[in-house]
């Protein structure tokens, strides 16, 4: 995928269904990767794929030639082709010999690649990603306590720098996978697996859970946005801020509705809402999708999601809320102030 | 018939179930192989969980040996008495087999009793933690094998009384005894794992 | 016969000179007519056919499950199925195909053919044979009972914890799966024991270990593998059941348990299992292809050794299913290297088959098409596996449709294609009739094309990032068109399978009648009538080479096989026991006849497991007592079998 500019407008437009750039590859394709955590493996993958295709073609040609060259005429189907139980062994010697050399070579190449994709000793950022059924909570670590913050489902990282990812599970086994940046790493309860990412080009990279985790495994996506240093600094500054106090009466009513219906599960920093069962919504409007990548973040989709999440993502842990029309629009108004 | 003449010289062949020539003997060998694999996986599970449990393992400290060591001795004696009993029937001595079977059954039951006492004295249950689950399950699997073995020996006792076995016909005894020795050998492995390895790891 | 002693010189007879031999043996070996006879039968040929029919029934069920799934996936964002329904379907599809079809169908071939291939009258344990079938049938029904009770297992055939634990899956579905698998494990284990002892002890005189057909090598290897592998999965499922229903902590983190313990135990079983379900099928090809190339297999010894090597190495690669779980790099490197090495013995097979075709005179019969086409799909499946052997590549490919492509190429390609070809090949032996050649060729091409159209695009879908086990997907990711093509290809393949079944059905009724050896094949089964009489051989054959029926047309053979003269062994049901390596006769084995004990014990066992499932301990206790009594009755020493001091005579 040719990476887009990191400007929000372009990203939002693209993710809201406008076609990707004309010659773009599909968003989850890892035929090309964009960083050192994935590139050596991509090269190895292409190498193995080419060898595989050559092998299949060669064997197919040999098989067709073998089958057709001395095909039995109907003359005497009962006669044997040979008189002694011998012959043909060079096929095995050569075939198995060549295969062994190729296999050993690929095994050696693989070992070098394992070393090449290992996490560098110095990383600039550590993220603690907690996977839950069926969304991703992300905590930005820092040595300074007041620079720690939590978001959900859309990760921003500085372009060109290695980022350490520590993986924890809230429930079952999941797998953290951003195919255009790196291979999968499973998220296993009871242990903390560590992986890393580095995006060498700015842009948005899609990811999806890579280990079957229940009913909505199909809808557990996430996005990694690689920002230029300036854009990243701006984004972090915005995320660190508490939610702005509601300015209008409608927004204040909305906050009340939100606290009544949503605060048990969701958190908005700077308010009384401190729920941890669902995604942190402090800066909901800074995200391009909702429901773990299921829908573009538009007012219509947000309304549909809050009104009946079960219709859109059956089995999801967000219950279908029987909100009155008034509560729904009030909550919506409030949410849309959470930039 | 060159091939057949080269292979078979016309000597009389045994008929029926004859020691290592019997299908049942080989069947028991393969059964023992698969049960050995089962216990290997059980003990693997123990060591795997142990190695991933960080600090204290076993959680309550190493298990006490004052019941396990006598139990081990009792079970090993049971194998000796059974070996002796089988030796008897191979020479045609039914009485020796009956005595050996009785002794082994009693020793087997004694082992079960000792194990039962030890179980009741543990201050944890299978539900307490992974160690508890593993301890009771592994020793429980073994205990089940002992009980099956005791049942087999009791059936052998009945069949011996019915006069089924003698000098030239005792494969059934050999097969069951093989199983009995296997049960003893498994216990040695379980004992070393649960009772000895915690002391070595310290 | 006045044999009062436990020793006897076996009589050598010539059936051609004495027609009463066949009549006498028929009376001794035939199954009593009627339904009691059918239920009590221990005839390995009946048991083999039952295995084949039952496993094909499960194949159809698994195929229907797949057909519905493919409809759901044909387009993005469809709502033909709810997520829960889809998850149950994909789980049961895997369970059905991998456990209820793939091994039992090969057991079916081996059960029918082994005594014929080995020159014997029965398997080593005839009653155990019947028992393994009944338990298979009942465990399949047990597992499928989950649908009518409304909750099929839905955590995948691999059933990872914690998702399959009580906290996330409280219904009875997972318990059904767990206990059903333990029950099925009993069938698999006793079946494997039977094959191993049969091979070791009951071959015809002269059938030394290096003259045994490759199908026998394949099944033997698979059986030894199963002996060591099945306990791992039975234990894993048992531990899961204990965690779920008895509050234990094998896998749950809060009690100090380990989720990855499940994966290790499961894959320690799972990887050898996948070789168990393909090695016998590869043996079918290694034995069938020579017939249609009019020459012996090239490299018999290499192929036999490669078969064993594959299984041995197969115990050392299980972690390659766990490359993404965060294991230490050293461990990953070892298993990655082993996964590359295991390709080498497979290459032996491929080049042996190619060489056999190249140096032979191929006959384009339906079986030949399947066996030759199999080579291509084998190689495609093999190279996709080779790609996943590389850890850093695998962590991209794993859990995507690339692996779905790989597994179907190896399972459909290496199991189903040889099976269908094998049925065309041995149909005359099983039934006395030939299958329709013209329809057979259409079947092959439709299956081959449909299969490749349906499954090759999955490789591409995988590298375009579509994960596995998703009930739907979004538009705009490049997956939609490919999914539609795959669905169409899958349906074409299913149509091919339907043609095959129609061919079987019609041929049973109106197929051309076959003689003993319609294909002019080389091995001993073609020396019997089609279908064989209940006693297989009127006299035990003597074997002088790997290809007994081709000896007269080849030079340089070491000895002469014969079926015209041999041990008669008619004092009741008898066969000859021979030594392990050189097959020197060393005992006359008395074989059990028909008995209801296997069926009764199977029923008692199923009731036992139902008791465990619903946690009714009085039912469990009663069934346990019944099982023990049935076992004791079964094993009670019998004079007729030569297990007591007094040996009885017919």
């Amino acid at each position: 995928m040719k990476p887009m500019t990191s400007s929000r407008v372009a990203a939002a437009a693209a993710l809201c269904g406008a076609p990707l750039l004309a010659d773009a590859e599909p968003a989850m394709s890892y035929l090309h990767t964009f960083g050192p955590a994935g590139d050596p493996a991509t090269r190895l993958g292409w190498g193995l794929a080419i060898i595989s295709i050559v092998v299949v073609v060669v064997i197919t040609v040999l098989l067709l030639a073998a089958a057709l060259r001395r095909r039995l005429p109907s003359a005497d189907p009962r006669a044997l082709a040979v008189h002694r139980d011998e012959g043909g062994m060079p096929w095995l010697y050569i075939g198995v010999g060549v295969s062994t050399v190729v296999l050993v070579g690929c095994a050696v190449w693989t070992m070098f690649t394992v070393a090449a994709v290992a996490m560098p000793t110095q990383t600039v950022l550590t993220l603690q990603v907690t996977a839950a059924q069926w969304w991703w909570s992300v905590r930005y670590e820092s040595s300074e306590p007041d620079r720690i913050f939590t978001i959900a489902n859309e990760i921003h990282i500085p372009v060109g720098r290695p980022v350490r990812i520590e993986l924890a599970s809230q429930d079952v086994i999941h797998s953290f996978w951003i195919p255009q940046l790196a291979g999968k790493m499973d998220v296993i309860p009871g242990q903390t697996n560590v992986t890393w990412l580095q995006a060498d080009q700015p842009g948005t990279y899609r990811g999806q859970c890579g280990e079957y985790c229940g009913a909505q495994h199909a809808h557990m996506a996430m996005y990694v946005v690689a920002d230029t240093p300036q854009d990243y600094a701006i984004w972090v500054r915005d995320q660190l801020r508490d939610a702005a106090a509601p300015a209008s009466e409608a927004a204040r009513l909305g906050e009340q509705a939100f606290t009544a219906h949503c605060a048990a599960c969701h958190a908005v920093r700077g308010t009384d809402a401190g729920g941890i069962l669902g995604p942190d919504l402090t800066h909901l409007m800074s995200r391009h999708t909702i429901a773990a990548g299921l829908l573009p973040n538009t007012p219509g989709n947000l309304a549909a999601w809050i009104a009946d999440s079960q219709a859109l993502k059956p089995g999801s842990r967000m219950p279908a809320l029987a909100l009155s029309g008034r509560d729904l629009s009030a909550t919506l108004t409030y949410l849309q102030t959470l930039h | 018939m060159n091939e057949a003449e080269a292979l078979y010289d016309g000597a009389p062949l045994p008929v029926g179930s004859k020691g290592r020539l019997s299908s049942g003997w080989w069947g028991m060998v393969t059964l023992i192989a698969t049960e050995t694999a089962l216990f290997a996986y059980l003990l693997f599970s123990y060591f795997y969980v142990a190695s991933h449990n960080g600090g204290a393992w076993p959680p309550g400290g190493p298990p006490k040996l004052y019941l396990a060591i006598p139990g081990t001795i009792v079970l090993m004696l049971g194998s000796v008495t059974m070996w002796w009993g089988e030796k008897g029937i191979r020479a045609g001595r039914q009485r020796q087999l009956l005595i050996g079977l009785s002794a082994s059954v009693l020793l087997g039951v004694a082992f079960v009793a000792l194990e039962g006492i030890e179980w009741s004295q543990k201050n944890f249950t299978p539900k307490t933690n992974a160690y508890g689950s593993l301890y009771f399950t592994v020793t429980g699997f073994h205990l089940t094998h002992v009980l099956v073995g005791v049942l087999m020996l009791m059936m052998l006792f009945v069949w011996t009384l019915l006069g089924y076995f003698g000098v030239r016909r005792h494969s059934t005894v050999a097969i069951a005894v093989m199983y009995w020795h296997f049960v003893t050998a498994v216990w040695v492995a379980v004992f070393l794992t649960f009772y000895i390895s915690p002391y070595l790891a310290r | 016969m006045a044999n009062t002693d436990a020793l006897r010189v076996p009589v050598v007879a010539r059936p051609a000179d004495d027609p009463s031999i066949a009549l006498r043996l028929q009376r001794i070996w035939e199954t009593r007519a009627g339904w009691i006879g059918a239920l009590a039968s221990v005839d390995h040929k009946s048991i083999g056919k039952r295995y084949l029919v039952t496993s094909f029934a499960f194949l159809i069920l698994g195929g229907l499950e797949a057909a519905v799934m493919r409809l759901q996936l044909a387009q993005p964002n469809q709502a033909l199925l709810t997520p829960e329904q889809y998850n149950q379907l994909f789980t049961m599809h895997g369970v059905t195909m991998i456990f209820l079809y793939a091994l039992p169908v090969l057991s079916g071939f081996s059960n029918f053919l082994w005594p014929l291939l080995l020159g014997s009258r029965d398997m080593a344990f005839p009653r155990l044979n019947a028992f393994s079938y009944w338990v298979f049938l009942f465990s399949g029904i047990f597992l499928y009972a989950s649908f009518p009770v409304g909750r099929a297992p839905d955590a995948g055939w691999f059933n990872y914890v914690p998702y399959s634990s009580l906290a996330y899956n409280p219904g009875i579905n997972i318990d059904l799966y767990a206990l059903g698998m333990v029950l099925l494990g009993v069938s698999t284990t006793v079946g494997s024991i039977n094959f191993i002892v049969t091979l070791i002890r009951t071959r015809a005189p002269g059938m030394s270990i290096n003259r045994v057909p490759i199908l026998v090598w394949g099944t033997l290897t698979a059986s030894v593998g199963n002996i060591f592998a099945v306990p791992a999965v039975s234990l894993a499922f048992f531990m899961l059941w204990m965690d779920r229903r008895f509050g234990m902590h094998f896998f749950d983190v809060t009690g100090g348990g380990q989720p990855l313990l499940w994966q290790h135990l499961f894959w320690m079983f799972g990887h050898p299992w996948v070789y168990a379900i393909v090695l016998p099928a590869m043996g079918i090809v290694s034995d069938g292809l020579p017939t249609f190339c009019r020459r012996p297999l090239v490299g018999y010894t290499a192929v036999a050794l490669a078969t064993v090597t594959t299984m041995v190495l197969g115990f050392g690669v299980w972690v390659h299913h766990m490359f993404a779980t965060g294991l230490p790099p050293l461990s990953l490197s070892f298993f990655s290297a082993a996964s590359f090495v295991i390709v080498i013995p497979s290459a032996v097979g491929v080049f042996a088959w190619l060489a056999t075709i190249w140096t032979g005179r191929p006959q384009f019969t339906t079986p030949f098409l399947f066996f030759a086409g199999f080579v291509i799909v084998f190689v495609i499946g093999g190279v996709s596996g080779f790609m996943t052997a590389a850890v850093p590549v695998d962590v991209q490919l794993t859990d995507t449709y690339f692996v779905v492509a790989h597994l179907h190429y190896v399972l459909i390609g290496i199991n189903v294609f040889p099976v269908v070809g094998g049925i065309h090949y041995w149909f005359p032996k099983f039934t006395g009739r030939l299958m329709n050649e013209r329809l057979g060729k259409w079947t092959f091409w439709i299956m081959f094309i449909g299969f490749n159209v349906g499954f090759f695009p999955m490789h591409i879908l995988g590298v375009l990032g579509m994960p596995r086990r998703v009930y739907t997907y979004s538009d705009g990711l490049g997956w939609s068109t490919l999914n539609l093509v795959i669905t169409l290809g899958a349906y074409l393949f299913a149509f091919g399978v339907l043609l095959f079944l129609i061919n079987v059905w019609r041929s049973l009724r109106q197929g051309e009648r076959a003689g003993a050896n319609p294909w002019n094949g080389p091995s001993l089964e073609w020396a019997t009538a089609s279908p064989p009489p209940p006693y297989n051989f009127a006299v035990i054959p003597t074997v002088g080479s790997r290809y007994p029926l081709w000896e007269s047309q080849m030079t340089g053979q070491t000895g002469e096989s014969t079926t015209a003269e041999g041990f008669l062994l008619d004092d009741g049901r008898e066969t000859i026991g021979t030594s392990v390596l050189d097959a020197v006769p060393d005992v006359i084995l008395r074989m059990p006849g028909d008995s209801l004990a296997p069926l009764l014990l199977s029923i008692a066992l199923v009731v036992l497991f139902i008791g465990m499932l619903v946690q009714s301990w009085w039912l469990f206790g009663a069934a346990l007592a019944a099982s023990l009594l049935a076992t004791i009755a079964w094993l009670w020493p019998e004079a007729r079998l030569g297990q007591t001091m007094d040996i009885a005579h017919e």
Side-chain angles (χ1 to χ4, degrees), chain A residues 26 28 30 63 67 69-70 72 77-79 81 83 86 91 171 173 177 179 184 186 193 210-212 214 216 219, chain C residues 87 154 168 294-295 324-325 358-364 372 395-396 398-399 462-464 471 477 520 554-555:
Chain A
M28 292 285 286
Y30 46 93
L63 178 71
R69 62 187 277 270
R70 293 207 307 155
L72 202 70
R78 305 190 78 73
H83 292 294
E86 62 184 20
W91 280 81
D171 40 42
I173 296 181
W177 186 38
K184 299 176 189 65
D186 285 353
N193 282 345
E211 182 63 64
Y212 177 61
Q216 284 299 335
H219 290 132
Chain C
N87 295 340
D154 61 355
Y168 300 99
R294 311 308 304 148
R295 66 146 292 151
T325 57
W358 186 279
T359 57
R361 307 288 316 253
Q363 287 179 296
F364 279 37
V395 290
Q396 290 278 34
T398 191
D399 259 290
V463 297
L464 292 183
Y471 75 99
L477 293 168
N520 193 14
M554 292 203 292
T555 58

Side-chain angles (χ1 to χ4, degrees), chain C residues 155-440:
Chain C
W157 81 281
F158 53 99
N159 210 46
Y160 282 179
V161 296
Y163 183 59
S164 57
S165 64
L166 196 68
Y168 300 99
N169 229 315
I172 204 173
N173 53 343
I174 302 293
D175 305 295
L176 243 164
Y177 185 27
L179 293 173
M181 283 302 298
V182 176
L183 184 60
L184 182 63
V186 172
S187 168
T188 309
T189 302
V190 302
S192 300
I193 291 179
N194 211 351
F195 285 121
I196 293 171
V197 179
T198 301
L199 184 282
I200 292 178
R201 293 295 304 144
T202 67
R203 311 197 299 273
M207 185 169 282
S208 51
I209 199 75
N210 62 339
R211 291 178 183 162
V212 154
I214 303 285
L215 167 62
V216 174
W217 276 104
T219 309
L220 172 72
T221 307
S223 301
V224 175
N226 284 339
I227 293 293
F228 291 111
V230 169
V233 79
S234 300
L235 182 62
F237 274 112
F238 186 75
M239 286 171 158
L240 178 66
W241 182 64
M242 304 273 262
D243 266 18
R244 288 171 58 85
R245 297 299 172 193
F246 297 91
M248 300 211 193
H249 301 284
F250 294 105
F251 305 119
D252 99 85
V253 179
T254 53
Q258 296 294 311
L260 281 183
L261 177 64
W262 170 272
Q263 294 192 27
H264 280 293
L265 286 174
F266 187 84
W267 290 115
M268 282 185 201
F269 151 79
H271 198 85
W273 182 260
V274 305
Y275 290 111
I277 59 183
V278 298
L279 289 173
M282 290 159 67
I284 289 177
V285 175
S286 294
D287 288 342
L289 198 59
T291 302
F292 301 103
C293 294
R294 311 308 304 148
R295 66 146 292 151
L297 179 72
V298 171
Y300 169 96
T301 305
V303 173
L305 290 176
T307 305
V308 174
T309 307
T310 302
M311 185 49 104
V312 171
L313 290 175
F315 276 89
V317 298
W318 83 88
V319 170
H320 72 212
H321 299 271
M322 298 166 63
F323 276 159
T325 57
L327 293 172
L330 187 62
S331 161
L332 297 179
S333 298
F334 168 81
F335 284 97
S336 183
S339 303
F340 278 109
V341 169
I342 203 169
V343 180
I344 297 174
S346 296
V348 170
V350 171
F351 288 103
W353 298 318
L354 280 177
T356 305
I357 301 174
W358 186 279
T359 57
R361 307 288 316 253
Q363 287 179 296
F364 279 37
T365 58
T366 302
F368 175 82
L369 292 177
F370 275 100
F371 298 153
F374 145 88
V375 175
I376 299 180
V377 285
F378 180 105
V379 171
I380 297 176
V383 294
S384 58
F386 147 80
M387 285 178 64
T388 58
V391 174
V393 177
D394 180 74
V395 290
Q396 290 278 34
L397 297 172
T398 191
D399 259 290
T400 68
Y401 263 77
F402 188 90
V403 180
V404 181
H406 165 69
L407 75 92
H408 285 92
Y409 266 86
V410 293
L411 291 182
I412 296 182
I414 311 184
N415 180 297
V416 176
F417 273 69
V419 161
V420 176
I423 291 184
H424 280 271
Y425 181 44
W426 278 300
F427 198 81
K429 193 53 58 183
F430 295 157
T431 66
R433 295 181 184 267
L434 288 157
M435 287 180 73
N436 184 290
E437 262 298 294
R438 194 152 169 270
L439 185 53

Side-chain angles (χ1 to χ4, degrees), chain A residues 237-264:
Chain A
R237 184 203 68 199
D238 289 343
Q239 296 295 320
L240 280 170
R241 275 204 307 253
D242 284 353
S248 66
E249 180 59 26
R252 254 193 300 279
L253 284 172
E255 187 188 0
Q256 284 171 5
F258 179 85
T259 310
H261 298 284
C262 317

Side-chain angles (χ1 to χ4, degrees), chain B residues 14-96:
Chain B
V15 181
S17 197
K18 193 74 186 161
R20 279 180 207 192
L21 301 177
S22 72
S23 301
W25 195 90
W26 288 92
M28 181 53 78
V29 169
T30 42
L31 181 67
I32 287 174
T34 200
E35 296 293 282
T36 303
L38 175 67
F39 280 98
Y41 292 116
L42 279 164
L43 298 182
F44 164 81
S45 303
Y46 173 87
F47 285 114
Y48 183 83
V49 174
S51 67
H52 281 80
N53 244 268
W57 184 273
K64 307 234 180 336
L65 297 171
Y66 69 92
L67 284 170
I69 290 186
T72 307
I73 295 172
V74 158
L75 204 60
M76 287 174 133
L77 272 177
S79 263
V80 172
T81 51
M82 206 53 250
W83 166 81
W84 178 78
E86 187 192 352
K87 207 156 78 88
I89 196 65
R90 273 194 265 123
R93 295 192 287 273
Q94 273 201 10
R95 227 176 108 84
Q96 187 168 332

Side-chain angles (χ1 to χ4, degrees), chain A residues 190-207:
Chain A
Q191 64 190 67
T192 302
N193 282 345
V194 178
T195 186
W196 70 291
L197 296 179
Q198 179 171 327
D200 283 348
Q201 295 186 37
T204 305
Y205 302 93
R206 189 179 188 280

Side-chain angles (χ1 to χ4, degrees), chain A residues 254 256-263 302-309 318-333 335:
Chain A
Q256 284 171 5
F258 179 85
T259 310
H261 298 284
C262 317
L302 250 180
W305 174 251
I306 297 168
D308 191 358
S309 54
M318 170 139 161
L321 304 163
L323 289 183
S324 67
R326 204 182 48 133
D327 273 348
L328 179 57
S329 70
T331 309
L332 214 51
T333 307
L335 287 173

